[in-house]
């Protein structure tokens, strides 16, 4: 019996064109070009499986067709994103992807993004860019629309195609040159308190947590560097999976997690003092370009070699050189060097550095003193004594002469008082790695995991509003630069990250929320009218309960249909065949079940499927 309320709701739904039923589609009427072989260049599991399962097709380097299955899943991701963004008080809009280039020049992002920014010249000779993100465009739009603090705060977002001319587009949708992103931008007159940036930032953090939880993803929230987008505080949302490109470090005690660029390292004891391990010995190392080559050639292990890197400070900050030194088995971290010296640095231009007197490729810490540079040394490299061995630390490094290195370098003997001058800084300037002391708890160490970055939130501050002159009047009539935040989600990358996280040898294993269809009905004999009628009826019942259903009505061998079913990864599978029908039902199996399917009576199928969803 239908209640009056339900009647009204139905009427309202039909008037508003909303629909509560799931979709029913037939395999023969959609395009799912499954394949046995993965593309030769594909390495990432998601790349191989999404192509093999007929979700995506390569058009060019980093450019893909989203075929019907992928588009369904992408719409489910965007649907969840929209729900949670709207619930968090953000408002959707759409900006153009094509933008006049001068916007990027104004904020210097043409330089920061470098070759990643797509540029194109139109018929009038005007240069345009294809947007990698939309800070400039939205700031310009807001500048033309908002004049007073009374109109703020606002948080606007879009789900849109982005373009980045990535140096190495690879791994299918994980790193495309054209990809789908949800990007949101918030605008405030203050950082703290009600209506301030940090309040919205926290709301976005919660919204993102809801989004990725609802998507069925196993993820971590990690502290991150802001990168070319700029700004201060920033967190990344990483899908945990061993095949991920990003390294996540976690404190074993506090739960603190950070990406490798951001993660600090706890206290490490250091001292330049200690007797030399012997006379300085110069050894020829002709044509040795890499640490590995030199290490092998001079028979010294990387932890006993100093890696010396020359960086430059830009003219705006007074110019000059920085010589950064880490142990050769460690990686230099430019962000940390910037924090240590207080100015942004960049790798030195080789020609200019050579002209200044640096023997690039063979530089030793002594070059800081002889050429004139700030010397920044990581604590693990600032060791006079090898305390573990109780003897002087054996160091090899460049000889400051082309094609030569030195053995038995000793800090105090080689650099003397320079080490005590203001030109020498000892600071954490390398990437953290597993086993390092935690920056958050004394005695705890860091562990390492891998992940795929699917979301990134930033407290931008006034970087864009100042550069673009977006000022609004405050309560006292003063005009101040607007404080901004920005919040991105890689929608197409999330689809691929989900596959990285959830697959087996036979194919994709979709979580219910992102599956293109919830239920796959495989009909064994498509020319049997009774079988097809059962499929249609079952699908109808399921659709009314909100399930999206795909009916495999292809004229194909059962074996190959089952293989495809595994490959495309629909969570619930119903098989209609004589054997089960003789017992009054159909075979029910979940994608994650390994054994035989169960027979479910025709009248109980929808209930059984609802049970399966609720027990997930
Ligand atoms: P990455 O470090 O992986 O290059 P990013 O930090 O430069 O990414 P953001 O500027 O933070 O990326 O962009 C927001 C989100 O857009 C990212 O968290 C990611 O999910 C997605 N994204 C960025 N670049 C790509 C790409 N080339 N292909 C697919 N998704 C991308
Ligand atoms: Mg990012």
């Amino acid at each position: 019996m239908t209640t009056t309320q339900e009647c009204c709701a139905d009427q309202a739904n039909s008037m508003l064109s909303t629909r509560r039923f799931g979709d029913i589609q037939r395999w023969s009427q959609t395009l799912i070009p499954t394949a046995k072989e993965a593309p030769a260049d594909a390495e990432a599991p998601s790349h191989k499986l999404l192509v093999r399962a007929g979700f995506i097709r390569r058009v060019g380097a980093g450019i893909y067709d989203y075929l019907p299955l992928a588009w369904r899943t992408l719409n489910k991701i965007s649907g969840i994103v929209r729900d949670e963004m709207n619930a968090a008080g953000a408002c959707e809009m759409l900006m153009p992807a094509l933008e006049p280039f001068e916007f990027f020049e104004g904020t210097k992002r043409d330089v920061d993004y470098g070759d990643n920014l797509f540029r194109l010249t139109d018929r009038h000779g005007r240069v345009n860019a294809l947007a990698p993100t939309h800070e400039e465009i939205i700031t310009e739009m807001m500048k033309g629309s908002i004049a007073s603090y009374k109109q703020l705060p606002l948080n606007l977002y879009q789900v849109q195609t982005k373009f980045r001319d990535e140096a190495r587009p690879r791994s299918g949708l994980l790193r495309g040159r054209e990809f789908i992103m949800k990007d949101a931008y918030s605008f405030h007159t203050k950082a703290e308190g009600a209506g301030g940036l940090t309040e919205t930032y926290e709301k976005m953090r919660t919204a993102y947590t809801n989004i990725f939880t609802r998507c069925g993803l196993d993820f971590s929230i990690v502290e991150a560097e802001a990168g070319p987008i700029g700004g201060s505080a920033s967190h990344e949302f990483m899908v945990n999976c061993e095949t991920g490109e990003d390294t996540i470090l976690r404190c074993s005690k506090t739960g603190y997690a950070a990406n490798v660029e951001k993660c600090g390292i706890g206290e490490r004891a250091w001292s330049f003092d200690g007797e030399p391990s012997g006379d300085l010995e110069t050894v020829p190392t002709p044509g040795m370009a890499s640490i590995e080559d030199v290490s092998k050639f001079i028979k010294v292990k990387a932890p006993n070699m100093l890696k010396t890197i020359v960086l430059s400070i830009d003219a705006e900050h007074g110019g000059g050189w920085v010589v950064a030194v880490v142990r050769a088995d460690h990686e230099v971290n430019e962000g940390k060097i910037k924090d240590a010296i207080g100015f942004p640095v960049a790798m030195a231009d080789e020609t200019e550095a050579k002209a200044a007197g640096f023997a690039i490729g063979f530089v030793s810490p002594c070059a800081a003193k002889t050429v004139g540079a700030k010397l920044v040394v990581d604590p693990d490299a600032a060791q006079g004594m090898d305390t573990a061995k109780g003897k002087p630390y054996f160091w090899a490094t460049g000889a400051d002469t082309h094609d030569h290195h030195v053995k038995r370098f000793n800090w105090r003997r080689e650099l003397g008082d320079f080490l005590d001058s203001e030109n020498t800084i000892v600071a954490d300037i390398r990437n953290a790695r597993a086993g390092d002391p935690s920056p958050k708890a004394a005695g705890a160490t860091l562990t390492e995991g891998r992940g795929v970055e699917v979301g990134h939130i930033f407290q931008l501050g006034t970087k864009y509003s100042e550069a673009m002159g977006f000022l609004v009047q405050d309560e006292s009539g003063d005009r101040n630069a607007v404080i901004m935040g920005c919040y991105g989600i890689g929608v197409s990358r999330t689809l691929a990250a989900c596959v990285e996280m959830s697959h087996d040898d036979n194919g994709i294993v979709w979580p219910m929320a992102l599956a293109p269809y919830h239920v796959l009905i495989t009909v064994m004999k498509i020319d049997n009218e009774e079988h097809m009628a059962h499929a249609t009826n079952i699908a109808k019942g399921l659709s009314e309960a909100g399930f999206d259903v795909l009916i495999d009505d292809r004229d194909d061998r059962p074996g190959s249909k089952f293989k495809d079913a595994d490959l495309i990864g629909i969570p619930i599978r119903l098989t209609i065949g004589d054997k089960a029908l003789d017992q009054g039902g159909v075979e029910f199996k979940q994608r994650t079940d390994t054994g035989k399917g169960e027979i479910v009576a025709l009248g109980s199928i929808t209930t059984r499927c609802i049970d399966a969803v609720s027990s997930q």
Side-chain angles (χ1 to χ4, degrees):
M1 214 173 75
T2 340
T3 64
T4 323
Q5 220 174 7
E6 274 169 344
C7 272
C8 289
D10 281 348
Q11 218 173 357
N13 276 334
S14 74
M15 277 166 54
L16 300 170
S17 300
T18 52
R19 212 168 47 92
R20 292 172 302 169
F21 290 178
D23 294 329
I24 303 175
Q25 254 152 13
R26 287 171 178 241
W27 197 305
S28 63
Q29 286 166 11
T30 177
L31 179 68
I32 311 175
T34 56
K36 281 206 180 69
E37 299 297 331
D41 65 330
E43 281 172 18
S46 66
H47 186 187
K48 289 183 187 168
L49 286 171
L50 287 171
V51 172
R52 283 195 53 217
F55 280 67
I56 59 170
R57 193 169 179 283
R58 185 181 183 274
V59 176
I63 314 170
Y64 289 87
D65 290 314
Y66 305 116
L67 301 179
L69 287 183
W71 191 240
R72 290 187 65 85
T73 294
L74 288 169
N75 281 330
K76 290 192 176 186
I77 299 171
S78 334
I80 294 172
V81 168
R82 288 189 166 103
D83 264 9
E84 296 294 335
M85 291 301 291
N86 294 346
C91 190
E92 187 171 1
M93 60 168 301
L94 185 64
M95 288 173 271
L98 184 64
E99 302 177 355
F101 195 74
E102 54 261 30
F103 285 119
F104 289 94
E105 289 169 327
T107 57
K108 296 209 175 72
R109 278 220 298 171
D110 56 333
V111 178
D112 292 345
Y113 261 104
D115 289 340
N116 266 20
L117 190 62
F118 269 108
R119 298 144 208 251
L120 54 115
T121 306
D122 65 21
R123 63 169 71 197
H124 303 293
R126 287 184 295 242
V127 184
N128 299 285
L130 292 174
T133 53
H134 278 77
E135 281 78 2
E136 289 83 0
I137 298 303
I138 197 156
T139 305
E140 185 66 15
M141 181 199 78
M142 290 291 285
K143 190 176 150 187
S145 321
I146 301 283
S148 157
Y149 71 94
K150 290 181 191 159
Q151 296 162 284
L152 296 181
L154 264 182
N155 188 3
L156 299 171
Y157 77 95
Q158 62 178 347
V159 178
Q160 206 234 28
T161 302
K162 294 282 188 279
F163 298 87
R164 293 185 188 180
D165 199 356
E166 299 275 358
R168 287 183 306 279
R170 61 181 178 279
S171 311
L173 300 190
L174 287 174
R175 186 169 298 283
R177 295 199 302 161
E178 175 177 327
F179 57 98
I180 303 172
M181 193 198 286
K182 185 284 300 177
D183 45 329
Y185 305 88
S186 71
F187 302 87
H188 314 263
T189 50
K190 55 185 175 183
E192 306 297 333
L197 169 64
T198 47
E199 186 187 64
T200 300
Y201 189 80
E202 281 314 311
K203 272 192 192 162
M204 285 297 102
R205 197 179 147 118
T206 307
Y208 275 42
T209 305
N210 295 344
I211 289 166
F212 295 120
T213 306
R214 278 182 63 188
C215 285
L217 298 171
D218 169 24
F219 66 97
S220 303
I221 305 175
V222 309
E223 279 190 14
E225 280 292 339
I229 287 182
S232 51
S234 159
H235 286 86
E236 284 168 349
F237 289 71
M238 300 269 197
V239 169
N240 300 318
C241 65
E242 280 317 302
T243 49
E245 198 178 284
D246 293 296
T247 304
I248 306 168
L249 290 135
R250 293 187 180 83
C251 167
S252 52
K253 244 188 208 156
T254 59
Y256 163 84
N259 78 13
V260 70
E261 282 104 46
K262 179 73 181 175
C263 188
I265 305 173
E267 282 276 313
R268 287 167 285 157
W270 61 271
S271 166
F272 286 121
D273 295 329
E275 290 301 309
S277 54
D279 291 344
L280 197 65
E281 182 193 349
T282 306
V283 282
T285 48
M288 305 276 157
S290 71
I291 296 275
E292 291 76 41
D293 289 348
V294 176
S295 164
K296 249 192 225 154
F297 192 72
I298 66 171
K299 298 194 175 60
V300 177
K301 291 199 174 108
N304 288 88
M305 292 172 66
L306 295 171
K307 180 156 53 178
T308 304
I309 301 205
V310 182
L311 303 113
S312 56
I313 303 173
D314 65 21
E316 211 177 291
H317 296 95
W321 304 102
V322 174
V323 170
V325 186
V326 296
R327 235 168 59 184
D329 56 327
H330 291 152
E331 293 301 322
V332 159
N333 181 310
E334 280 182 33
K336 289 185 178 182
I337 297 176
K338 174 188 157 200
D339 292 344
I341 66 166
F343 304 121
V345 287
M347 294 301 263
D349 175 83
E350 197 172 321
T351 317
E352 286 174 19
K354 278 184 177 161
F358 291 106
I360 294 297
F362 305 90
V363 177
S364 93
C366 300
K369 187 174 167 184
T370 51
V371 180
K374 278 203 178 311
L375 177 65
V376 192
V377 188
D378 184 73
D380 290 324
Q383 302 290 340
M385 286 294 291
D386 192 335
T387 41
K389 293 184 182 151
K391 57 182 192 182
Y393 209 114
F394 183 99
W395 287 118
T397 185
D400 293 314
T401 311
H402 187 66
D403 276 352
H404 287 80
H405 280 77
V406 291
K407 285 180 176 178
R408 296 185 196 84
F409 170 93
N410 174 271
W411 281 102
R412 196 47 84 182
R413 178 179 64 194
E414 268 56 79
L415 278 140
D417 292 350
F418 188 80
L419 297 174
D420 308 317
S421 75
E422 60 180 14
N423 283 320
T424 300
I425 301 169
V426 177
D428 170 16
I429 56 161
R430 69 166 174 91
N431 287 348
R433 65 182 190 187
D436 283 338
S438 161
K440 297 291 173 189
T445 50
L446 295 169
T447 58
E448 224 175 271
R450 312 283 297 172
V452 177
E453 179 194 327
V454 286
H456 198 164
I457 57 178
F458 305 83
Q459 290 185 16
L460 285 177
T462 53
K463 173 176 166 152
Y464 293 91
S465 50
E466 266 175 26
M468 300 182 71
F470 177 26
L471 310 175
V472 298
Q473 246 171 21
D474 64 16
E475 279 136 314
S476 49
D478 293 336
R479 280 162 55 79
N480 297 312
V482 169
I483 299 170
M484 292 171 56
C486 81
Y487 318 92
I489 288 182
V491 173
S492 47
R493 186 184 280 181
T494 298
L495 173 138
C498 182
V499 178
E500 289 294 318
M501 184 200 86
S502 184
H503 65 269
D504 62 17
D505 290 346
N506 299 321
I508 304 170
V509 181
W510 287 110
M512 199 59 83
L514 299 194
Y517 299 92
H518 304 114
V519 182
L520 172 68
I521 302 178
T522 305
V523 184
M524 306 278 270
K525 291 183 178 169
I526 55 154
D527 40 12
N528 181 318
E529 276 180 26
E530 188 201 333
H531 289 198
M532 282 309 291
H534 280 308
T536 313
N537 274 339
I538 294 168
K540 193 163 168 281
L542 286 168
S543 156
E544 281 166 11
F547 287 93
D548 292 329
V549 185
L550 177 66
I551 301 175
D552 187 351
D553 61 342
R554 289 175 300 165
D555 182 10
D556 206 344
R557 285 180 301 111
S560 104
K561 286 187 170 195
F562 292 144
K563 267 210 159 64
D564 277 354
D566 278 343
L567 190 56
I568 69 169
I570 306 303
I572 298 175
R573 274 153 58 172
L574 303 172
T575 306
I576 299 181
D578 288 329
K579 223 163 112 193
L581 282 174
D582 287 348
Q583 298 174 57
V586 300
E587 192 189 274
F588 171 100
K589 201 170 169 181
Q590 300 197 50
R591 174 63 179 81
T592 45
D593 290 342
T594 44
K596 282 194 92 186
E598 67 190 77
I599 305 293
V600 174
L602 286 173
S604 314
I605 293 169
T606 303
T607 327
R608 181 66 189 89
C609 290
I610 292 171
D611 279 353
V613 175
S614 48
S615 65
Q616 268 215 337

